[in-house]
Amino acid sequence: IHDDSFDNWSDLDGLAPQIASLDRVVTVSNLNVHLAGAQGIPTDVLLTQSALWYWPPSKTRSSWHPAVRLIRTTEQSAHVAVAEIAAALRSGAS
């Protein structure tokens, strides 16, 4: 679904409530993670091995956003991580 009622690149006041209406967010490291995490929305963030410094390599949760789960992937393991997230979504697990 694409909502044309606002510009999600430049309208944070429109994007934040859109994210707040979601049950869960699955994304890569970008603004959506921080907006979802700040609102306490359960979020899975797919990270590469060279993720930015604020995603500590030894942790599975964000220090700033407890609802954000950090999932590290490699090119070979990305499909496995996505399949695990999909299975968790189907089962209702967090």
Side-chain angles (χ1 to χ4, degrees):
I1 297 171
H2 180 76
D3 185 351
D4 289 325
S5 67
F6 71 100
D7 179 0
N8 64 350
W9 287 99
S10 63
D11 182 1
L12 295 182
D13 291 331
L15 182 58
Q18 286 284 321
I19 290 174
S21 72
L22 301 173
D23 295 325
R24 180 171 214 87
V25 172
V26 178
T27 187
V28 296
S29 181
N30 59 29
L31 175 65
N32 297 326
V33 175
H34 301 284
L35 287 175
Q39 297 180 81
I41 307 298
T43 301
D44 294 311
V45 56
L46 296 166
L47 301 169
T48 64
Q49 299 303 315
S50 60
L52 294 169
W53 64 269
Y54 49 81
W55 304 126
S58 61
K59 300 207 177 197
T60 59
R61 292 284 175 179
S62 166
S63 299
W64 296 280
H65 309 302
V68 173
R69 184 169 64 136
L70 309 177
I71 301 171
R72 305 230 181 279
T73 65
T74 63
E75 188 173 331
Q76 295 78 22
S77 70
H79 69 282
V80 173
V82 170
E84 289 174 4
I85 292 168
L89 290 172
R90 283 190 296 275
S91 73
S94 54

